[in-house]
Amino acid sequence: MYVCPRCKGTLLAFACNKCGAQYPLINGIPSFLQGPSADERQFVRDVYDDIYSHHENVWADQGRSEKFIGFFSDLVASLPHGSLLEVGCGEGTLLAALPGEHKFGIDPSIHALARAAKRSTARCAVALAEDLPFPANAFDMVVSVGVMEHFANPDAATAEICRVLRDDGHYVALIHTDLSRSQRIALKIREFLFPKFRPLAFGSWIKKKLWRPIRQPLRKSYTIESARDCLQRGGFLVKRLVTRQSDPAAPLAGSHVIIFVVQKAAG
Ligand SMILES: C[S@@+](CC[C@H](N)C(=O)[O-])C[C@H]1O[C@@H](n2cnc3c(N)ncnc32)[C@H](O)[C@@H]1O
Ligand SMILES: [Zn+2]
């Protein structure tokens, strides 16, 4: 299934027959992102490896509740999903719950994927969305949750996701649009303090803030409009937006959380 992420040549024992690149297996997980940290892409890998080697269930307190995972999986299940790829699958909590006969997950962090591979039967690989190690038209469905905001090159990543989808395939992407400082504070109050005081969750959030605070290498700002533009430039038609306004029962962490359901445009 895998191809060379650089030139899309076929691989034999993880060696590219076109450009000669060789990709190692690390504890059974292919790594399509090797080399020293000088390059921006390797830097991204190193920062996430550092985060995942010091923290577990890193984003669990950011709206990835069981209810949310069930809601997102049902949304995916309502669309064709036989072959499915999760981009930026992290530790694989969602990947394990998602439907699909042939599931794949990619992430720059080998530490995250080691956990994802234990949680789910999906095939996992170290890779970036900007250089996917899959042939064109390989998937019925691609999903990403909280990842688009962190792409170094959103246009390249979106075009790659479109390339690996079959014609009419769907991309379901959850993104966090920007919040002002006061909106961020209000969100945390609602999450931990009022109307329900959640001392354990609050304590573990504070601990995470003080002990090795999590700083992702990149965060791009999005509005609904700019995210929509990016998806359309990448070759998608926007089919549906799931927001707190459109779907009040949807278990989303706030009104800044948007799920785009988009489809590969014909031709
Ligand atoms: C905020 S975390 C979300 C992780 C997971 N989707 C979740 O919801 O638990 C962002 C994830 O995107 C991955 N990531 C960052 N840049 C990426 C890129 N260019 N391509 C693919 N994944 C990327 C990170 O390693 C990290 O696991
Ligand atoms: Zn190659």
Side-chain angles (χ1 to χ4, degrees):
M1 171 64 150
Y2 293 118
V3 299
C4 175
R6 287 190 208 163
C7 74
K8 313 303 178 200
T10 50
L11 297 177
L12 193 61
F14 293 100
C16 176
N17 69 358
K18 209 164 154 192
C19 73
Q22 288 227 325
Y23 302 100
L25 282 177
I26 305 171
N27 297 328
I29 297 174
S31 177
F32 293 105
L33 196 63
Q34 286 301 300
S37 311
D39 189 274
E40 190 188 48
R41 293 173 184 217
Q42 272 82 12
F43 172 71
V44 167
R45 172 201 63 189
D46 291 349
V47 174
Y48 282 106
D49 267 343
D50 187 61
I51 292 174
Y52 285 113
S53 61
H54 291 98
H55 299 271
E56 271 196 51
N57 297 322
V58 184
W59 323 103
D61 62 359
Q62 295 190 18
R64 279 34 159 216
S65 62
E66 271 181 36
K67 248 180 155 181
F68 164 75
I69 288 174
F71 174 84
F72 195 92
S73 300
D74 288 350
L75 178 60
V76 170
S78 69
L79 299 162
H81 58 264
S83 51
L84 175 147
L85 167 68
E86 184 179 358
V87 168
C89 65
E91 296 162 275
T93 315
L94 176 66
L95 189 57
L98 284 169
E101 264 173 66
H102 306 285
K103 289 197 284 184
F104 287 76
I106 64 120
D107 198 278
S109 170
I110 186 75
H111 293 289
L113 293 177
R115 288 174 208 148
K118 280 192 193 142
R119 276 199 171 108
S120 121
T121 51
R123 292 174 64 186
C124 295
V126 175
L128 290 174
E130 288 86 347
D131 297 304
L132 289 175
F134 301 103
N137 310 310
F139 295 101
D140 298 310
M141 166 73 65
V142 178
V143 309
S144 71
V145 170
V147 182
M148 189 168 159
E149 309 85 294
H150 305 290
F151 290 150
N153 187 334
D155 280 344
T158 308
E160 268 293 84
I161 289 167
C162 193
R163 181 187 66 80
V164 302
L165 273 170
R166 67 163 170 76
D167 288 350
D168 298 337
H170 290 86
Y171 177 30
V172 181
L174 179 148
I175 75 154
H176 298 92
T177 55
D178 291 345
L179 286 175
S180 66
R181 197 180 159 76
S182 57
Q183 284 173 315
R184 277 204 302 274
I185 292 169
L187 186 69
K188 290 297 162 205
I189 290 174
R190 274 202 309 277
E191 236 173 278
F192 301 123
L193 303 174
F194 186 82
K196 193 172 170 209
F197 180 44
R198 298 172 60 230
L200 286 181
F202 184 56
S204 78
W205 178 72
I206 291 283
K207 186 177 156 214
K208 215 161 84 176
K209 287 269 149 208
L210 299 175
W211 181 76
R212 282 196 168 267
I214 292 168
R215 289 206 185 87
Q216 299 188 67
L218 286 159
R219 195 185 186 293
K220 308 251 179 212
S221 296
Y222 282 104
T223 59
I224 294 187
E225 290 69 32
S226 66
R228 184 199 301 269
D229 285 350
C230 177
L231 290 163
Q232 286 173 340
R233 277 197 307 276
F236 289 105
L237 298 172
V238 177
K239 291 292 182 186
R240 183 177 165 198
L241 278 185
V242 179
T243 65
R244 273 216 173 153
Q245 265 187 329
S246 71
D247 298 65
L252 302 176
S255 51
H256 64 299
V257 181
I258 318 288
I259 301 176
F260 279 90
V261 178
V262 302
Q263 191 170 23
K264 183 167 176 171

